Amino acid sequence: MAFSEERLVTKLNGLDETQDSIVGASRWLLSQHKEIKQIAACWSKFVTKTTINTRRKLLAIYLANDVVQQAKHKRMAEVGAAFGDIMPGALSRVYPELSLEMRQKVRRVVDIWKQRQVFSDSVLKSVYSQLKDEPRPDSPAVAPEMQNLVVLFNQLTKSQAGVNSSKTRFDSSVEALDPSSAVYTENYKIIQKIGQAAKDALQISLDIRQKAIKELKVMLDFQNEQLQQDQNMISEVDAVLVAKDPLNSQPLSAEEAEMVPVYEASDGSDSDTDKSDVEGNDTRRRKSSTLSTEHKDDVKRLKSIAVEPKSDTGERADTFDAATYEPTPAEVAANSPMAVTSSIQDLLSKLAS
């Protein structure tokens, strides 16, 4: 079977920590040794992708380790040379991403290469120079809205190992199934079990993906609402700026000016009715003041008449100061409203006669 990059990627994604998985993929790669340079380049491309998780990258290094050791044992020098060309560059990018535990595992693998002289001294020296235990860059804090998604994607990553392994096993079993075999029925039953295991692993992955899609839809709806609010606020800011822009303040046209209502100058009163009421009140106060003054003058005249006693000879007595005069009780009674009225009548009678 001719080599294809898709086939290699499938093999790499289907790896797990078991010896059978690593050895099976290694045998397939060695069977394609005529394309070993292309295989090594595709392997380097896979492990340096940022979308590939570190666990899968470590498994790919395990696979490369088995391939180069088996190639040395079988005297396939071209395999070691091809991987020796790309290994320092690949590890320079992969090693800083690994956790401390994974770094220790990679270092043990490199130590084995040195002990068994899998690569040349120059290659090993270059490889060791990439194994620098510098602190890993701090991972950015995960927003609260993303935490559920992070958990789901971590579960999905772990489930993929079982999915790929079981699917690869199923494909290999189907390829090995021989319809002409005497034990075809028994082999088919075994393949059914392997297929069911693959379906179970795929169902787990399917459930996790559905949950992830649901979370993503919730996030999408929320972000659409926030987007609309932001757009509305931008429109409000633009409207205010346009309204306050002095360049937009233009005088009214003649037609617009005619439509503006014109009001007469006001005297400060609320209405015409109020003005009439005020004028009426002023007139009544003036009349009342006039009547009051006239009444007071009449009372003074009556008082002066009432308090001018005549002498026995018929002549008037001496005058007195009306301002300091204190009336007697009899005079007060005499000057009551009824007495004043009677005195006025008497006075009028005398004048008439």
Side-chain angles (χ1 to χ4, degrees), residues 204-222:
I204 294 174
S205 177
L206 180 64
D207 294 340
I208 297 173
R209 291 186 188 279
Q210 288 177 341
K211 292 179 181 179
I213 291 172
K214 184 177 179 180
E215 287 289 336
L216 287 170
K217 286 182 178 179
V218 172
M219 289 185 60
L220 181 62
D221 292 341
F222 176 74

Side-chain angles (χ1 to χ4, degrees), residues 106-131:
V106 171
R107 186 172 285 276
R108 283 197 295 270
V109 170
V110 176
D111 289 341
I112 293 173
W113 293 345
K114 181 180 179 180
Q115 294 171 5
R116 299 181 181 180
Q117 297 180 347
V118 173
F119 296 115
S120 65
D121 291 341
S122 61
V123 171
L124 288 171
K125 183 178 180 181
S126 181
V127 168
Y128 272 112
S129 67
Q130 308 303 327
L131 307 183

Side-chain angles (χ1 to χ4, degrees), residues 147-167:
Q147 289 179 354
N148 289 339
L149 277 175
V150 170
V151 173
L152 289 173
F153 277 101
N154 286 337
Q155 294 175 355
L156 191 60
T157 299
K158 293 179 181 179
S159 69
Q160 288 307 294
V163 169
N164 295 326
S165 178
S166 58
K167 182 63 168 60

Side-chain angles (χ1 to χ4, degrees), residues 35-219:
E35 307 293 339
I36 194 60
K37 289 186 177 181
Q38 186 179 357
I39 290 173
C42 292
W43 179 91
S44 178
K45 180 181 177 181
F46 178 85
V47 297
T48 54
K49 281 185 178 180
T50 56
T51 55
I52 304 299
N53 62 73
T54 55
R55 173 181 172 276
R56 195 143 299 283
K57 292 181 179 182
L58 180 62
L59 291 174
I61 293 174
Y62 286 164
L63 173 60
N65 173 56
D66 192 83
V67 168
V68 295
Q69 291 200 56
Q70 292 295 329
K72 182 175 178 60
H73 180 70
K74 295 180 179 181
R75 300 181 183 276
M76 301 169 64
E78 68 276 12
V79 175
F83 274 94
D85 291 339
I86 55 90
M87 192 60 67
L91 289 180
S92 68
R93 298 180 59 180
V94 175
Y95 191 78
E97 301 175 1
L98 303 178
S99 64
L100 179 60
E101 182 182 359
M102 289 182 175
R103 289 182 181 184
Q104 292 173 350
K105 293 178 179 180
V106 171
R107 186 172 285 276
R108 283 197 295 270
V109 170
V110 176
D111 289 341
I112 293 173
W113 293 345
K114 181 180 179 180
Q115 294 171 5
R116 299 181 181 180
Q117 297 180 347
V118 173
F119 296 115
S120 65
D121 291 341
S122 61
V123 171
L124 288 171
K125 183 178 180 181
S126 181
V127 168
Y128 272 112
S129 67
Q130 308 303 327
L131 307 183
K132 299 177 181 179
D133 292 326
E134 297 177 352
R136 297 176 63 190
D138 294 335
S139 300
V142 179
E145 297 83 358
M146 299 290 293
Q147 289 179 354
N148 289 339
L149 277 175
V150 170
V151 173
L152 289 173
F153 277 101
N154 286 337
Q155 294 175 355
L156 191 60
T157 299
K158 293 179 181 179
S159 69
Q160 288 307 294
V163 169
N164 295 326
S165 178
S166 58
K167 182 63 168 60
T168 301
R169 185 182 178 189
F170 176 77
D171 293 339
S172 300
S173 300
V174 172
E175 290 178 1
L177 185 62
D178 184 6
S180 61
S181 173
V183 291
Y184 176 79
T185 303
E186 289 76 7
N187 290 340
Y188 176 74
K189 291 180 179 179
I190 294 173
I191 291 177
Q192 280 184 316
K193 293 180 180 179
I194 296 173
Q196 185 60 47
K199 289 171 60 178
D200 293 341
L202 286 167
Q203 186 61 47
I204 294 174
S205 177
L206 180 64
D207 294 340
I208 297 173
R209 291 186 188 279
Q210 288 177 341
K211 292 179 181 179
I213 291 172
K214 184 177 179 180
E215 287 289 336
L216 287 170
K217 286 182 178 179
V218 172
M219 289 185 60

